[in-house]
Amino acid sequence: MAAGLKTVILLSFVLAVGFLLIILSCALWHNWLPLLVALTFVLAPLPNALFSHCGADDFAGSYEGGGPVDLGRFITSVVVVTGFALPVVLAHSNVITTGACAMSIIGGGLVYGTILAYSAAFKQDESEFD
């Protein structure tokens, strides 16, 4: 199924809502530390994208992994968990309020979910004739 214009519009709307929640979590309580969550969720898919092309060959069996691919997935999961845990730790230490924590987590989840949905919707399948 090819992704069309409606998919792009929907994903851009969800991404804008996610960034709006993150920025509002900073601006409403005059504390800009939750903005670090946006940075972590934007950088989260980067290791997966970099390491996904490492270690693949034509003679690989059914398992399409390898050391570099697993390392990329591990680093991505660490960054994603950091993005969810950082607002909780900041709220627990009373650096940010619980409202800012909730808005930051929801906004970060929307941003990361949009990035995953975009990469899944517009993934190019490799042709066997290339």
Side-chain angles (χ1 to χ4, degrees):
M1 179 177 158
L5 185 62
K6 290 181 182 180
T7 307
V8 172
I9 292 171
L10 177 69
L11 289 175
S12 63
F13 178 73
V14 173
L15 184 68
V17 169
F19 277 122
L20 177 70
L21 283 173
I22 293 173
I23 291 173
L24 280 178
S25 73
C26 298
L28 291 178
W29 286 279
H30 305 292
N31 190 349
W32 294 95
L33 281 175
L35 198 58
L36 293 174
V37 172
L39 180 67
T40 59
F41 281 116
V42 167
L43 294 178
L46 191 62
N48 236 357
L50 290 176
F51 288 109
S52 66
H53 300 291
C54 297
D57 59 354
D58 293 334
F59 303 109
S62 62
Y63 177 65
E64 295 182 9
V69 176
D70 289 339
L71 179 65
R73 289 178 184 157
F74 177 75
I75 294 172
T76 297
S77 65
V78 166
V79 174
V80 168
V81 169
T82 301
F84 283 114
L86 183 64
V88 174
V89 170
L90 290 174
H92 180 72
S93 62
N94 292 327
V95 175
I96 63 173
T97 63
T98 56
C101 174
M103 288 176 70
S104 179
I105 288 174
I106 293 169
L110 286 175
V111 168
Y112 186 66
T114 302
I115 292 170
L116 285 181
Y118 181 82
S119 64
F122 294 101
K123 184 176 183 180
Q124 295 179 354
D125 295 327
E126 295 181 14
S127 173
E128 62 184 64
F129 298 111
D130 286 340

